Amino acid sequence: MNIRCVLIDDEVNNLENLQYLLQQHCPGVEIAGRASSADEGIQLIKEVDPDLVLLDIQMPVKSGFDLLKSFDTVSFEVIFVTAYDQYGIQAIKFSALDYLLKPVDTDDLKQAIDKAKQRITLKQQNSNISNLIAYLQKPQQESPRIALPNLLQTRYVKVNEIVRCEASDNYTHFFLENGEKILVSRTLKEYAELLKPYSFQRTHQSHLVNMHYVKSFLKEDGGTLLLQDNTKIPISRQHLEAVKMALSNTLNP
């Protein structure tokens, strides 16, 4: 399939490099325009109605996030292209969006374009972008929603409603407060890093626990967590001290 793409970055060298890589390695991608600021990008998107936007986050005056906030609805797909930005990447991951780090790797670009093409075939409002904007606008102390994609749909779940996560090979099971279970095709390691700021603690190679749902610490088997739903979660020797510290921090914030 052919897709119409626009490139938005405040550095001309980055725009030219992206265009070259797309033309050389991504057949079916038509460059419908380029912009070097958020305001130019907003106007360009309105004029050409692209399927896909490759968007820099950090730009003078207005950021890539500011650009997205200017649209009431977002029907185009977005791939962020950015230098390392911890907060920005955290927000992007929470919404299950794709990003590329500068300098852009050709294989990473091709993979991101292929994934975008798959999503474009389901042309509709981009709910992941809506979730990203909600995350950016939410006060830091509030519980954001995290996007949990599987083969059939993407669920948006409040972080404080997640009781625990359990690894199953390269998949992760999410157990929610209401008893629901969601299977996501991403590793537990990725979610352990993403959820750490929200009182989630790795207790074992296969287990990640929201410490707010812990009822008690049991000394059996070298250490076990008893959750409010009476589930018992093992603690490995490797994680024992970190779990005790996390429990102390949760009880005495």
Side-chain angles (χ1 to χ4, degrees):
M1 65 175 295
N2 292 328
I3 60 173
R4 291 166 57 78
C5 175
V6 301
L7 314 179
I8 303 172
D9 193 305
D10 63 297
E11 296 184 21
V12 174
N13 287 345
N14 290 333
L15 287 172
E16 292 180 347
N17 182 55
L18 270 177
Q19 181 164 340
Y20 174 80
L21 291 176
L22 288 167
Q23 290 172 338
Q24 294 296 314
H25 302 285
C26 301
V29 176
E30 172 197 346
I31 309 298
R34 305 184 340 186
S36 56
S37 70
D39 284 333
E40 285 182 17
I42 291 167
Q43 188 60 38
L44 178 62
I45 289 169
K46 290 177 179 178
E47 288 174 1
V48 306
D49 189 23
D51 301 303
L52 173 65
V53 175
L54 270 66
L55 178 62
D56 188 18
I57 296 177
Q58 297 174 324
M59 294 184 286
V61 186
K62 292 182 181 178
S63 70
F65 292 150
D66 293 327
L67 177 150
L68 293 173
K69 291 175 187 176
S70 70
F71 291 92
D72 293 331
T73 60
V74 176
S75 58
F76 50 86
E77 290 295 324
V78 177
I79 299 172
F80 293 96
V81 185
T82 182
Y84 186 75
D85 174 343
Q86 185 172 2
Y87 175 70
I89 291 174
Q90 174 93 350
I92 291 165
K93 286 183 175 180
F94 249 84
S95 301
L97 290 159
D98 282 326
Y99 69 95
L100 300 168
L101 287 176
K102 299 175 182 177
V104 174
D105 178 82
T106 302
D107 289 336
D108 290 343
L109 175 63
K110 289 163 64 177
Q111 184 177 12
I113 292 293
D114 287 342
K115 288 166 64 177
K117 285 181 177 180
Q118 293 173 18
R119 293 192 297 268
I120 289 166
T121 61
L122 305 173
K123 191 73 172 180
Q124 56 190 359
Q125 180 175 348
N126 194 330
S127 298
N128 289 352
I129 292 294
S130 301
N131 193 70
L132 170 73
I133 293 170
Y135 178 95
L136 295 169
Q137 293 175 334
K138 188 175 290 292
Q140 199 163 11
Q141 67 272 21
E142 289 189 23
S143 178
R145 293 182 184 272
I146 186 170
L148 302 178
N150 59 32
L151 292 176
L152 300 177
Q153 61 180 341
T154 298
R155 288 286 305 278
Y156 300 93
V157 175
K158 281 191 174 183
V159 167
N160 62 6
E161 295 175 355
I162 301 169
V163 176
R164 64 186 182 94
C165 308
E166 184 173 339
S168 177
D169 295 324
N170 289 325
Y171 293 83
T172 301
H173 292 278
F174 281 76
F175 295 82
L176 307 187
E177 184 180 30
N178 64 6
E180 188 176 0
K181 182 177 174 182
I182 300 173
L183 179 64
V184 179
S185 56
R186 295 189 177 182
T187 65
L188 185 65
K189 179 181 179 181
E190 179 176 340
Y191 288 110
E193 295 171 358
L194 203 54
L195 294 171
K196 189 173 182 179
Y198 301 94
S199 299
F200 282 74
Q201 175 61 44
R202 194 83 173 257
T203 68
H204 183 278
Q205 183 178 355
S206 300
H207 295 279
L208 179 68
V209 174
N210 184 340
M211 303 305 283
H212 292 294
Y213 286 94
V214 175
K215 182 189 292 186
S216 58
F217 175 88
L218 306 177
K219 294 182 179 180
E220 62 186 45
D221 299 324
T224 302
L225 291 181
L226 179 66
L227 305 188
Q228 292 174 8
D229 62 1
N230 292 321
T231 300
K232 290 184 177 181
I233 304 297
I235 305 172
S236 68
R237 183 179 302 177
Q238 174 188 354
H239 292 94
L240 182 58
E241 290 306 315
V243 169
K244 288 180 178 179
M245 185 176 295
L247 278 171
S248 175
N249 292 339
T250 305
L251 294 172
N252 303 289

